[in-house]
Amino acid sequence: MPKVIIPATQGILAYEISKRTGITLSYAELEKFPDGEKYVRVSEAVKGSDVFIVNSFHHMPDEMIIETIFLIDIFKSVGANEVVGIFPYFPYSRFRRFIGGEANRLKTISKLFRTAGLNKMYVVDFHLQNVEEFFDFEVINISAMPLLADYVKRNFELEDAVVVGADEVAEFWARIVSEKLGTDYKLMRKIRIDAENVIIDSVPDVSNRDVVLVDDIISTGGTVVQAIKALRHSGAKRIYAVCTHPLLSNEALKLIYRAGIDGIVGTDTVLSPISHVSVAEIISEEIRKRELDENKS
Ligand code: R5P
């Protein structure tokens, strides 16, 4: 089955995946009208092909989601075989509980993608471990944490290090990083006040230890800034932060540096000044394994 990869955003990532998998890189016409509407046009040459759309829904998630729905729908209409999403960062996944009347945003997006014709998607460190419960199609959730741990090993000075998960949700990722680094891991507990403010209400003992703080997302930096204060209070020596998705909203990076971080790294699921680790190879590896073996051609 012929295959093409089409970037909506993340052109470099699409190029790197195409180079590593041999899948032909192609383009769609994407435009925005002066009134904000989106225009999408694709080549009919994709008829009968599996099409991989690369989009990381950061910065303007709603716009990118509607653009992706247009792309999925038009690819299906011109006769594409499978339409597969490569969505390294997937938004609307951070919520705890529902109160009456609140939109289940993730579920709605999931329905829209399904209805448009999406067959499958690849994501990286989706915020929820039970991701498959939200989507009626196959989801391949890949972790970038082993790569981030390798980066930490190679670039940060560590002595008697301990990995600290930014909250209970981060335990899954903290464990992966600690195993890779050969350290133990501990967890903080936080209470979120609003979108920018958190209180750390429980911090582990890290006296005289270097700390690798692990989270999936750094958005406003509120969590990392408060964590730095709490960890220093608890006796930490050097403090490094790693995350998969460096959204770095507003002045996050400035606030984090000002709080005294000793090193920080994220991946290129979202392009940022700290995106020093690329997820191109781990996504390509999964694609080679699942889509390109001989039985599937
Ligand atoms: C939430 O549960 C996530 O794992 C992150 O801890 C959170 O998104 C970080 O956000 P911020 O940088 O705005 O504190």
Side-chain angles (χ1 to χ4, degrees):
M1 186 75 63
K3 300 186 193 309
V4 290
I5 185 164
I6 313 261
T9 57
Q10 298 285 64
I12 296 172
L13 195 56
Y15 167 76
E16 289 296 334
I17 295 171
S18 147
K19 209 170 68 180
R20 289 170 156 81
T21 57
I23 298 177
T24 311
L25 185 63
S26 185
Y27 293 92
E29 263 180 68
L30 304 167
E31 276 177 46
K32 188 171 169 176
F33 289 121
D35 60 2
E37 287 183 1
K38 285 287 179 132
Y39 172 87
V40 160
R41 183 170 175 269
V42 304
S43 155
E44 293 186 19
V46 298
K47 193 170 175 187
S49 301
D50 291 335
V51 179
F52 295 76
I53 302 170
V54 181
N55 212 347
S56 218
F57 306 111
H58 171 236
H59 190 45
M60 293 173 297
D62 300 342
E63 258 190 43
M64 291 166 169
I65 284 166
I66 195 76
E67 174 183 85
T68 302
I69 290 168
F70 290 154
L71 280 172
I72 298 166
D73 191 40
I74 189 64
F75 279 129
K76 282 287 180 184
S77 310
V78 298
N81 181 44
E82 289 223 307
V83 179
V84 180
I86 300 178
F87 305 143
Y89 170 65
F90 205 99
Y92 289 117
S93 56
R94 286 174 292 168
F95 53 83
R96 276 291 172 281
R97 59 175 169 256
F98 290 103
I99 52 171
E102 224 177 46
N104 188 341
R105 300 163 299 163
L106 189 58
K107 198 77 198 165
T108 305
I109 294 165
S110 157
K111 278 189 223 161
L112 291 169
F113 279 4
R114 181 62 179 154
T115 308
L118 192 67
N119 295 100
K120 184 194 296 183
M121 71 176 183
Y122 289 79
V123 290
V124 180
D125 287 326
F126 196 91
H127 182 66
L128 304 162
Q129 291 310 317
N130 57 341
V131 52
E132 63 287 339
E133 288 172 24
F134 291 86
F135 297 91
D136 294 332
F137 45 82
E138 192 184 352
V139 181
I140 296 112
N141 187 14
I142 306 164
S143 183
M145 288 296 164
L147 293 181
L148 286 163
D150 283 344
Y151 182 94
V152 167
K153 246 191 223 167
R154 278 184 279 110
N155 295 280
F156 296 157
E157 220 176 304
L158 291 179
E159 221 177 291
D160 190 17
V162 55
V163 169
V164 174
D167 53 26
E168 281 107 342
V169 180
E171 178 167 11
F172 178 80
W173 299 297
R175 190 182 311 127
I176 298 176
V177 174
S178 71
E179 274 166 14
K180 267 273 182 182
L181 294 179
T183 69
D184 54 336
Y185 77 85
K186 302 180 182 217
L187 298 179
M188 296 189 320
R189 217 173 50 208
K190 79 178 184 209
I191 301 169
R192 183 162 287 286
I193 309 298
D194 56 34
E196 299 189 8
N197 296 292
V198 299
I199 293 173
I200 306 292
D201 81 331
S202 159
V203 64
D205 179 12
V206 290
S207 312
N208 289 317
R209 301 187 72 178
D210 288 336
V211 172
V212 180
L213 180 66
V214 174
D215 211 344
D216 58 332
I217 298 168
I218 299 178
S219 178
T220 66
T223 302
V224 176
V225 168
Q226 293 310 318
I228 292 171
K229 285 186 198 158
L231 290 166
R232 291 259 185 250
H233 193 70
S234 174
K237 281 160 66 191
R238 288 171 286 226
I239 303 175
Y240 304 103
V242 311
C243 72
T244 303
H245 312 293
L247 308 187
L248 302 179
S249 314
N250 306 325
E251 305 240 85
L253 198 52
K254 200 155 115 188
L255 297 175
I256 292 168
Y257 279 128
R258 218 181 257 161
I261 197 79
D262 292 286
I264 182 166
V265 62
T267 80
D268 60 355
T269 59
V270 166
L271 291 175
S272 81
I274 62 160
S275 298
H276 304 311
V277 168
S278 177
V279 294
E281 180 51 31
I282 51 172
I283 294 175
S284 304
E285 196 182 316
E286 283 300 320
I287 291 177
R288 283 194 301 264
K289 205 160 69 191
R290 290 163 188 273
E291 322 278 346
L292 301 176
D293 74 39
E294 279 159 12
N295 304 328
K296 291 193 175 128
S297 56

